[in-house]
Amino acid sequence: SRFARKGQPQHDTERHRKFSDKMATPQTHVFNVAMTCGGCSGAVERVLGKLGDDVSNVSIDLDAKKVTVTSTLDADTLLATIQKTGKDTSYVGVAE
């Protein structure tokens, strides 16, 4: 290309790789969370909501004490976020 600078590659693969990592495919993860009331589930919704566009859906089943999260983030990041509520939390796995 006539705009390429001498000594520089025409395609910045490192920048492209970082961009494509951010465009990860969302997965749905299931967590057991020791929730006993609406306040508990509200706290979980609030902390996950702070993750912004990285979380596309949160579903809470208070009776079963399960939280289902659809996100581009990994399970460890989501687990650590939910644990910020102070509730006992464990990772179940990827939803089928």
Side-chain angles (χ1 to χ4, degrees):
S1 153
R2 65 184 192 152
F3 296 108
R5 293 186 179 157
K6 279 187 174 181
Q8 290 195 356
Q10 290 188 6
H11 183 68
D12 187 346
T13 55
E14 185 63 29
R15 187 171 59 193
H16 177 71
R17 190 175 306 120
K18 286 179 184 172
F19 178 75
S20 56
D21 286 348
K22 291 181 186 225
M23 302 301 289
T25 305
Q27 279 194 306
T28 301
H29 301 278
V30 181
F31 300 87
N32 286 328
V33 184
M35 301 174 290
T36 56
C37 64
C40 297
S41 62
V44 171
E45 286 182 12
R46 276 192 301 281
V47 296
L48 290 171
K50 290 180 181 179
L51 298 175
D53 292 340
D54 290 323
V55 174
S56 56
N57 188 50
V58 176
S59 174
I60 297 178
D61 183 339
L62 190 55
D63 293 333
K65 300 181 185 320
K66 292 217 182 288
V67 176
T68 305
V69 183
T70 304
S71 176
T72 55
L73 298 171
D74 61 274
D76 289 336
T77 300
L78 296 171
L79 178 64
T81 300
I82 297 170
Q83 287 174 332
K84 289 179 182 178
T85 63
K87 304 296 172 197
D88 286 336
T89 306
S90 61
Y91 184 58
V92 175
V94 176
E96 308 254 337

